[in-house]
Amino acid sequence: MDCFAPNTSEDLAVHPKKVGDVRNWLQHCEAMRKKYPAQICLLTGPAGCGKTATLRVLAQEMGYELQEWINPTDCEEINALGDQPNEGTYMGSQLQAFKSFLLRASRYKSLLSTGNKRLLLVEDFPNCLLKDATATFEDLLDEYANYGKSPLVFIVADSKSRMLNISYKLFTDQLKAKLRIEHISFNSIAATIMQKSMKRFATLMQQPQHKSLYKLPTQTVVDSIVVCAQGDIRNALINLHFGSLKGAPGMETKQLNVSVPSKGRKRKATNTLKSIGRDESITMMHALGRVFNPKYTETKDKCLLHNPEDLAEAFSTEPKNFVNFIHANYLPHFQNIANVNSALNDIGLADMLLQEYRDESLSLVGLTIAVRGCMVANVTPVSGWMPVRGPKRLTIEPQLTPAEQRLLGVASGAISKRLYASEYSSFVKLIADKTN
């Protein structure tokens, strides 16, 4: 990986706007260096989209010395870093080591350091912060904002589940607004940019120091690697490495099933790798687009291009949320009311299955029924772009006085008023009239 790492910003396989955003933030840090030295930035995006490479290249170009936190694994080393006695707990010592790194690395430079500008990087979060430690993390960043002397960058890879998403759990909107954290979100690398990077890699492989190890792959293999990588440049480079080694067997490819092209467009045959691939991490917006605008293969059987079971499996951790999005947005995509009736029956059945708490497997069954029912029923989907609206949330918050709560027994029963779905103002009046 180091042999093919980008050396300049022109070598980066990242959209120029994202590179410009990171460069502007570094320039802002340099301009505010004396007044507000402890600037904080959060870089998020899918795996392999060039977040770390972009930061390293721009830091080198602007003269920053990058200092990265790496989780220590030895308990003795952790205690030493955190200035803790040996009987200290693992969580405390690891947290103290992380805090010590942030404050010391930003204020003091290494004896071997040659530059004056330092940039702190945290990509490997301490394990003790990943479980119910939001308040601890906020206090730590508050202290760094007051006493830190160098810019700080956090890099977080996106996750399909919100429960596993570090940026969602630790970096709340309130925290980002309070500390003025700059949030730059990267996207998956586009296929056109990926193709240019593959040409650069092929050129490097033909250099004298690598020519004895690599052979040039065919264009079919290169195109298949780009399709298989799904915007992950690291995955593409690793596959290219193994597919170009001399003496290694060639990579087998297969042709993808593609949808019927629209009028006036030529369809280009697309291949992908047969045995090596990257797990598809589809976003909710893309999945909803595939549900509302189902496409079919060119075969005689006319099968669905995207398997409903695969779409449901991708959101098995949040089935209720995905079904609610389908219910809130499916209607404008239908042309025939009879098809709407069929889809609504399946959505209603899915909603009933999702309410069954005694069997966890029924949630996936209900999600699959909703996805497949909506795709199969929509025979002629409405063409054109339509915004996706979030599901309506019904929040029942009865406004009762303390006297009314005591009259109904809500307050004395130690039960939250949010659990009551009845509109009982009229009941209060009836009881009050009878007591009077």
Side-chain angles (χ1 to χ4, degrees), residues 3 26 57 63 66 157 196 233 355 425:
C3 297
L26 289 174
V57 168
L66 200 63
K196 294 180 180 178
I233 188 66
Q355 306 305 323
S425 297

Side-chain angles (χ1 to χ4, degrees), residues 28-37 116-117 149:
H28 172 75
C29 293
E30 195 166 352
M32 304 294 292
R33 183 180 176 186
K34 294 184 178 179
K35 193 173 183 181
Y36 299 107
N116 295 323
K117 297 190 299 182
K149 297 298 181 181

Side-chain angles (χ1 to χ4, degrees), residues 83-144:
D83 296 332
Q84 295 288 310
N86 292 332
E87 61 269 13
T89 62
Y90 179 81
M91 177 178 176
S93 61
Q94 191 184 45
L95 185 61
Q96 288 297 324
F98 182 63
K99 178 180 177 181
S100 175
F101 165 79
L102 292 181
L103 296 179
R104 292 182 180 181
S106 66
R107 299 173 69 90
Y108 311 110
K109 64 179 182 179
S110 170
L111 295 176
L112 303 177
S113 175
T114 57
N116 295 323
K117 297 190 299 182
R118 291 179 298 281
L119 179 64
L120 273 61
L121 170 61
V122 176
E123 192 170 7
D124 189 13
F125 284 77
N127 297 327
C128 58
L129 293 178
L130 302 183
K131 186 178 181 180
D132 301 332
T134 306
T136 305
F137 184 69
E138 185 173 350
D139 294 340
L140 194 150
L141 288 189
D142 278 334
E143 187 172 355
Y144 183 82

Side-chain angles (χ1 to χ4, degrees), residues 52-106:
T52 307
T54 300
L55 182 67
R56 290 185 182 278
V57 168
L58 293 181
Q60 182 180 1
E61 289 183 352
M62 301 184 67
Y64 280 95
E65 181 186 356
L66 200 63
Q67 296 188 2
E68 181 178 1
W69 160 264
I70 298 177
N71 277 338
T73 56
D74 193 337
C75 293
E76 294 182 0
E77 183 180 356
I78 292 173
N79 287 328
L81 286 172
D83 296 332
Q84 295 288 310
N86 292 332
E87 61 269 13
T89 62
Y90 179 81
M91 177 178 176
S93 61
Q94 191 184 45
L95 185 61
Q96 288 297 324
F98 182 63
K99 178 180 177 181
S100 175
F101 165 79
L102 292 181
L103 296 179
R104 292 182 180 181
S106 66

Side-chain angles (χ1 to χ4, degrees), residues 176-415:
K176 289 189 287 187
K178 177 183 177 181
L179 300 179
R180 299 179 182 179
I181 299 176
E182 182 74 15
H183 185 185
I184 302 175
S185 179
F186 282 61
N187 302 320
S188 298
I189 299 175
T192 52
I193 300 178
M194 187 87 76
Q195 286 282 4
K196 294 180 180 178
S197 298
M198 300 298 280
K199 292 181 180 178
R200 174 179 171 268
F201 295 152
T203 303
L204 293 176
M205 287 178 177
Q206 293 304 300
Q207 291 183 353
Q209 62 269 30
H210 304 305
K211 198 169 185 180
S212 59
L213 183 64
Y214 293 110
K215 62 183 178 182
L216 275 180
T218 62
Q219 187 61 39
T220 303
V221 172
V222 172
D223 294 340
S224 301
I225 290 174
V226 171
V227 173
C228 186
Q230 300 176 24
D232 188 341
I233 188 66
R234 187 184 298 109
N235 177 276
L237 179 55
I238 292 174
N239 284 338
L240 182 66
H241 164 75
F242 286 108
S244 305
L245 288 174
K246 288 186 176 180
M251 286 188 169
E252 297 184 6
T253 61
K254 63 179 179 180
Q255 191 167 356
L256 283 175
N257 293 325
V258 293
S259 58
V260 179
S262 58
K263 294 182 179 179
R265 292 187 179 181
K266 295 183 179 180
R267 180 178 61 82
K268 184 179 180 180
T270 308
N271 297 327
T272 186
L273 297 181
K274 191 173 182 179
S275 58
I276 303 177
R278 176 177 179 266
D279 292 337
E280 184 175 4
S281 177
I282 185 173
T283 63
M284 179 170 288
M285 296 299 108
H286 284 90
L288 291 173
R290 294 177 180 181
V291 173
F292 297 143
N293 299 281
K295 297 180 181 180
Y296 293 86
T297 59
E298 295 180 355
T299 59
K300 294 181 181 180
D301 299 336
K302 279 218 149 187
C303 300
L304 286 169
L305 179 62
H306 303 107
N307 191 352
E309 281 72 22
D310 294 340
L311 294 176
E313 185 68 29
F315 295 91
S316 58
T317 57
E318 44 183 354
K320 184 66 175 178
N321 190 33
F322 195 76
V323 172
N324 288 342
F325 267 95
I326 294 177
H327 188 211
N329 296 276
Y330 80 102
L331 193 57
H333 296 270
F334 282 77
Q335 294 185 4
N336 193 331
I337 190 63
N339 298 335
V340 172
N341 183 44
S342 177
L344 187 57
N345 288 336
D346 291 328
I347 294 175
L349 177 59
D351 186 66
M352 183 185 68
L353 292 174
L354 289 175
Q355 306 305 323
E356 180 55 60
Y357 62 90
R358 291 170 292 185
D359 191 351
E360 296 181 356
S361 62
L362 286 181
S363 61
L364 181 58
V365 175
L367 177 58
T368 305
I369 290 175
V371 172
R372 178 174 285 277
C374 192
M375 294 176 71
V376 174
N378 198 0
V379 180
T380 54
V382 177
S383 60
W385 180 83
M386 295 182 191
V388 176
R389 305 183 186 278
K392 293 183 179 180
R393 302 184 182 274
L394 300 177
T395 54
I396 301 172
E397 297 183 8
Q399 302 296 328
L400 290 180
T401 63
E404 291 173 337
Q405 291 182 13
R406 286 193 298 271
L407 187 61
L408 287 174
V410 178
S412 60
I415 300 175

